[in-house]
Amino acid sequence: MAGRYDAVRVADRVYWVGAVDWGLRDFHGYATHRGTSYNAYLVLADKVTLIDTVKGPFAEELLARIASIVEPRAVDYIVSNHAEMDHSGALLRLIEVARPDKVFASRMGVEALREHFGLAEVEAVADGGRLDLGGRSLTFLEARMLHWPDSMLSYLAEERILFSNDAFGMHLASSERYADELDPAVLEQEAAKYYANILLPYSKLVPRLIEKAAGAGITPEALAMIAPSHGPIWRREVGTIVNWYARWAAQERGSKALVVYDTMWGSTEKMARAIGEGLMEGGASARLMPLRASHRSDVATEVLDAGALVVGSPTLNGGVLPTVADVLTYLRGLRPQGMVGGAFGSYGWAGEAVNQIENLLAEMKVERVQDGIKVRYVPDETALEQCRGLGRAVASKLREARGQGSGA
Ligand code: FEO
């Protein structure tokens, strides 16, 4: 048995019935330092409607929270905004217990639920379509590729609540259900991390979704709440998270330069530190991220507003260190736009790692500021000065990009 779990009332006849996953530290490769929540919502209209479910292992908790308000058998409709398993993993169990009259999803969601679970009876809702719940209604907004083809948002007009699923969410476990009860700095940090790691590749679609919602009258000013499927609900200053999204989608880049590296015997680290000194001399904000101490998803978060990405690896067996291959593969998939950068590393025989990093940076369309720096065995003072020079060159490029001239 799941034990006692209560629903949380969030509006008139609307309840949070989700689950908090306090111990989660890895979400498909994203380090969730603060855990997460899977938010599901129950709307008590004539047709009792559940919006989304939770990750599979939390199915009984979801059922217990529903049961604190109504018998799960009273659920008439289930709306699946998104088929990814963290929201649909408990769907089969809910269907088994609640036996709803209907399950709804976007057109692509119907396909995804069929292919994931063999569900044949899911009904498609149209983009912009309205579902009458009896005394309440839901309007659906497709959000294709934000971040799956099936993703959609549901709007409860009578309470002015946007159930936004992954959009505007964050991985943050808390007993507080509302953003205004939490530290604003933590909210911005975790929302930025979520955006960088989940939504960044689809940034061009974000302003289009905001415009499309506005076209349907769903603006931050008109909304009473944004209720995402991870992290807290926004009920005050709802525009805050929407404005953050607009800023992150624009990929505005500042004077921050990342130096991301790993090292075998300390030579590449000496180079990294010299590059950092050069960046600071040039007026950039340097952030060194040694990969033994920096998770790939934290690097991605820093990339969100960094102007430069400088990557270093010694050569190991003709290639880069596995940690460096990992982070570059991950970042390439996130498709950040508009950065400058460079490569560096120590070697013993041929120094292939630097060329491989340059190729990967080129694939990511990171503009190379100068040729990569290779140092045999251990950097001497001349080599370290070259590294400081790379740092200064990157800083100069960042100043130019910000219209502050190239400086001395
Ligand atoms: Fe929270 Fe895309 O699932």
Side-chain angles (χ1 to χ4, degrees):
M1 286 301 293
R4 168 142 182 214
Y5 290 96
D6 288 331
V8 178
R9 184 184 177 280
V10 296
D12 183 27
R13 294 193 284 167
V14 181
Y15 293 84
W16 175 88
V17 289
V20 181
D21 192 348
W22 294 95
L24 186 80
R25 291 295 177 270
D26 184 314
F27 188 94
H28 58 51
Y30 167 156
T32 47
H33 302 300
R34 291 186 167 100
T36 194
S37 65
Y38 314 108
N39 300 334
Y41 300 93
L42 189 68
V43 179
L44 299 184
D46 292 350
K47 296 292 185 188
V48 175
T49 300
L50 178 67
I51 297 174
D52 285 320
T53 71
V54 294
K55 192 173 168 181
F58 296 89
E60 300 309 313
E61 184 173 334
L62 168 63
L63 283 165
R65 290 196 200 275
I66 294 170
S68 73
I69 302 298
V70 293
E71 276 302 314
R73 257 316 258 118
V75 173
D76 298 295
Y77 292 165
I78 299 177
V79 173
S80 171
N81 277 325
H82 177 29
E84 194 165 5
M85 301 278 205
D86 49 333
H87 309 294
S88 67
L91 184 56
L92 288 185
R93 178 74 178 134
L94 258 291
I95 291 171
E96 179 190 25
V97 174
R99 287 183 262 150
D101 296 339
K102 288 184 177 178
V103 177
F104 298 96
S106 67
R107 277 169 294 171
M108 298 301 282
V110 169
E111 193 178 303
L113 291 173
R114 185 177 61 238
E115 292 184 7
H116 273 77
F117 304 111
L119 281 173
E121 303 295 319
V122 180
E123 194 164 310
V125 295
D127 187 20
R130 183 175 170 278
L131 178 67
D132 186 2
L133 308 180
R136 294 279 192 279
S137 65
L138 287 172
T139 302
F140 303 106
L141 281 182
E142 282 189 2
R144 283 197 185 196
M145 298 318 298
L146 281 173
H147 68 122
W148 272 25
D150 71 305
S151 297
M152 73 172 186
L153 296 70
S154 300
Y155 178 58
L156 183 68
E158 294 76 10
E159 297 297 332
R160 297 181 294 123
I161 301 175
L162 182 64
F163 300 102
S164 60
N165 195 263
D166 282 336
F168 309 121
M170 66 187 77
H171 288 311
L172 175 60
S174 62
S175 57
E176 295 79 5
R177 294 272 61 81
Y178 298 104
D180 53 88
E181 299 173 312
L182 294 159
D183 180 343
V186 170
L187 293 175
E188 186 166 3
Q189 185 183 30
E190 293 300 340
K193 183 168 188 177
Y194 192 90
Y195 187 95
N197 283 276
I198 304 285
L199 296 167
L200 184 60
Y202 314 108
S203 285
K204 281 188 182 153
L205 303 178
V206 169
R208 288 187 214 160
L209 177 65
I210 294 172
E211 269 175 41
K212 178 169 141 176
I218 305 168
T219 61
E221 300 72 35
L223 283 171
M225 280 183 199
I226 292 180
S229 289
H230 298 290
I233 296 166
W234 295 80
R235 65 177 171 183
R236 297 204 183 119
E237 296 173 9
V238 167
T240 305
I241 183 92
V242 180
N243 292 339
W244 288 346
Y245 266 50
R247 172 158 55 89
W248 295 327
Q251 299 203 43
E252 288 167 10
R253 305 208 164 270
S255 65
K256 183 169 74 181
L258 306 181
V259 184
V260 176
Y261 66 94
D262 202 352
T263 196
M264 285 170 73
W265 296 106
S267 290
T268 301
E269 177 147 51
K270 283 180 183 148
M271 297 173 76
R273 294 177 72 90
I275 291 165
E277 291 301 307
L279 285 165
M280 288 183 264
E281 276 174 51
S285 170
R287 192 138 321 166
L288 270 64
M289 302 197 82
L291 289 172
R292 302 294 169 93
S294 310
H295 193 272
R296 71 176 83 82
S297 54
D298 293 317
V299 175
T301 309
E302 295 293 343
V303 159
L304 186 59
D305 62 353
L309 178 63
V310 186
V311 179
S313 176
T315 295
L316 174 72
N317 299 327
V320 297
L321 285 183
T323 46
V324 177
D326 174 315
V327 81
L328 283 174
T329 303
Y330 189 73
L331 292 179
R332 182 178 53 183
L334 294 173
R335 303 202 296 269
Q337 306 289 317
M339 283 192 292
V340 300
F344 64 98
S346 69
Y347 69 101
W349 295 269
E352 297 95 328
V354 169
N355 299 346
Q356 290 178 14
I357 292 169
E358 286 187 320
N359 290 341
L360 275 159
L361 291 177
E363 278 182 46
M364 291 169 63
K365 299 188 173 57
V366 173
E367 184 193 338
R368 190 171 64 174
V369 168
Q370 63 173 60
D371 286 347
I373 302 175
K374 299 178 187 177
V375 168
R376 189 153 196 225
Y377 294 133
V378 178
D380 59 13
E381 191 43 48
T382 306
L384 291 173
E385 178 48 33
Q386 259 190 310
C387 291
R388 283 193 289 272
L390 171 58
R392 287 191 296 270
V394 168
S396 170
K397 200 78 183 172
L398 289 178
R399 283 200 309 275
E400 264 177 51
R402 286 159 52 235
Q404 295 176 358
S406 57

